[in-house]
Structure formats: C-alpha cells, structure tokens
Amino acid sequence: MELADYIEATNRAVDPTQAVEIYQKALCDIGFDRMMYSAIQAHEASDQVCMASSYPVDWLEYYVGNGYMDLDPLRRYGHLQRSTFSWESLGERYKLSRQEIKVMREGRDANLFDGAAVPLHGPGGEVIGVSVASSVPHPESKRFLSQLNLLTVQFHTVYMALCAEAKTTPMPALSKREREVLQWAARGKSNWVIGELLHISEHGVDYHFRNILRKLEADSRITAVVKGLYYGIISL
C-alpha cells in the first residue's frame, strides 16, 4: 500500500478496530505480522491507556502470567528512546539484566523475530510503545525502520482520536473486589496468588473473573486486562 493511500485509509477509519486492521495490513506489507501497542508510562492528566495486539495469544498469556510486563526491557527502556529502534540495538545501548535477556530470548522462542519498537511521547508525559516483529526471520527488518515510524505515527494519531470519541460510551461498572482482582491479574498474578493476596479462595477469584469477563464483554483474561486499562478501571 502506498503511503498516501495508507494515510487516506486510516483517516477514513470509523473506529479503533478498523484503524488497527489497516495498520496491521501495512505492517505485513513491510514484513512485520506481529504487533503490540500499549502504554509504557501513563500520565495522571490522561485517561487514554489503549492497547491492541496481534501477538500469539499463548505468548501473551505466558508473558502476563510470568510478570514480564515488569521485566520487559522494551518497556523498561522504551520511555528513554526518542526514535524508532530495533530490538537488537537495545542490547547494544544498555546493559540488560539476566532476566531482561531471558524475556527477549523467550520472545524469539515464541517466534517473534527481528523486532523493532516505536516510542510515542505525548504532551501530558505519557509514553505509548509500539513493538513489531515477524513470525519468521526478517533479515531486512532494519531497512524498514523509517517507514515503520511513518506508518506508526499516522496510526497512533488516528487511533487516539477515535478512542477519544469512543470514550463517550459508558464505562463498565466493576465492584471494588472485581477491580482488585483485575488489577492483580494485570500484574501477572495467578488466581491462586490473587486469592492469597485478597484473603479469598481461588474459587472466589474464579467467580469474580467470570463476572469481570461478562461485564467487560471479554473472551479471555488478556482481553479483560486490556479493556480494564483502556477504560481506566485499572492502571499499570
């Protein structure tokens, strides 16, 4: 897709989901079929914490379940970057810990190859990160960093505007206990650990999660966390 056509298509998007679909197609055209779009650092003046992903579901569940949101060097150092960079270059700029290296290695084991990231800094202090990868080795990935930056900035601009419009819809109402359960889930805690932290049984956590999934119209734990972040019900 030509850049002018891409800009026109994204500007015509009617909702965030359509904007994501157009962006993902453009990414595939340059060899990246996996994408993660999420908040790295939220700001108290902004309630727009959005997230979209085409990463493998089993990897996301493993990632969240093992608390990798706190260990991922892309999140840890992404707020320090001002330009698009390859995953490989991150290890050249910073001394990664053993745990951070493990996260990156296990990402490759999950068929996330030759990745790159685009940090997006907002006026309120928020930082949004877009991470892309290929499900097969992509030796020319670095050649597309400039194009990736252009595609991503356009997508982010459109997506955030559409999210602002969508915010006019009522926020799902979760109980205090449901918010607590969802908050701990966002931090990678299992149902058993959440039960111990909240002094309730694991079955009780399961019960609250079923209610959370129903109220947020979510089909999985990951989707519930994503929607909770988006609506500002929980935070990172």
Side-chain angles (χ1 to χ4, degrees):
M1 181 185 298
E2 295 293 331
L3 182 59
D5 295 333
Y6 168 77
I7 292 173
E8 183 178 352
T10 51
N11 285 341
R12 289 201 310 264
V14 298
D15 56 41
T17 299
Q18 188 177 32
V20 170
E21 291 173 352
I22 297 167
Y23 178 55
Q24 287 179 331
K25 183 180 184 303
L27 290 178
C28 286
D29 288 345
I30 58 174
F32 299 110
D33 60 336
R34 300 297 188 187
M35 176 273 289
M36 172 72 78
Y37 174 66
S38 63
I40 294 177
Q41 179 176 313
H43 189 273
E44 61 184 14
S46 172
D47 63 354
Q48 296 193 70
V49 182
C50 306
M51 183 175 177
S53 172
S54 60
Y55 275 22
V57 174
D58 55 349
W59 166 248
L60 287 177
E61 292 177 347
Y62 179 81
Y63 180 95
V64 172
N66 285 276
Y68 283 0
M69 293 178 76
D70 296 326
L71 301 174
D72 189 343
L74 294 174
R75 297 183 63 84
R76 180 177 174 84
Y77 297 110
H79 70 283
L80 301 176
Q81 305 300 313
R82 291 287 174 177
S83 59
T84 301
F85 61 94
S86 67
W87 291 359
E88 182 182 359
S89 68
L90 193 64
E92 298 169 354
R93 298 180 188 181
Y94 303 101
K95 182 176 176 57
L96 303 184
S97 70
R98 186 176 304 174
Q99 288 180 314
E100 290 171 333
I101 293 172
K102 178 184 177 184
V103 174
M104 300 300 290
R105 185 182 67 247
E106 291 186 355
R108 289 193 297 270
D109 292 342
N111 295 326
L112 297 172
F113 298 103
D114 299 308
V118 186
L120 301 159
H121 297 261
E126 67 272 14
V127 182
I128 302 294
V130 178
S131 184
V132 302
S134 175
S135 57
V136 297
H138 184 14
E140 295 188 321
S141 60
K142 291 182 181 179
R143 185 165 67 87
F144 293 99
L145 293 184
S146 295
Q147 192 170 351
L148 171 63
N149 185 70
L150 291 172
L151 295 174
T152 302
V153 170
Q154 169 65 15
F155 160 72
H156 176 65
T157 301
V158 170
Y159 188 92
M160 295 301 281
L162 291 169
C163 283
E165 294 176 8
K167 280 289 187 177
T168 58
T169 59
M171 180 188 302
L174 299 188
S175 69
K176 180 177 182 293
R177 180 64 83 191
E178 289 164 354
R179 292 196 301 273
E180 291 173 338
V181 168
L182 190 59
Q183 182 68 69
W184 283 117
R187 295 175 181 171
K189 305 303 181 183
S190 67
N191 282 8
W192 183 84
V193 173
I194 294 172
E196 291 292 301
L197 290 167
L198 299 180
H199 306 292
I200 59 178
S201 69
E202 187 173 0
H203 291 299
V205 177
D206 290 336
Y207 169 77
H208 289 305
F209 243 111
R210 287 195 297 272
N211 285 336
I212 291 168
L213 294 175
R214 174 178 55 80
K215 290 181 178 180
L216 295 182
E217 298 181 352
D219 58 0
S220 70
R221 189 185 190 93
I222 295 295
T223 305
V225 169
V226 169
K227 287 194 170 185
L229 290 169
Y230 170 70
Y231 284 111
I233 298 170
I234 58 173
S235 61
L236 293 176

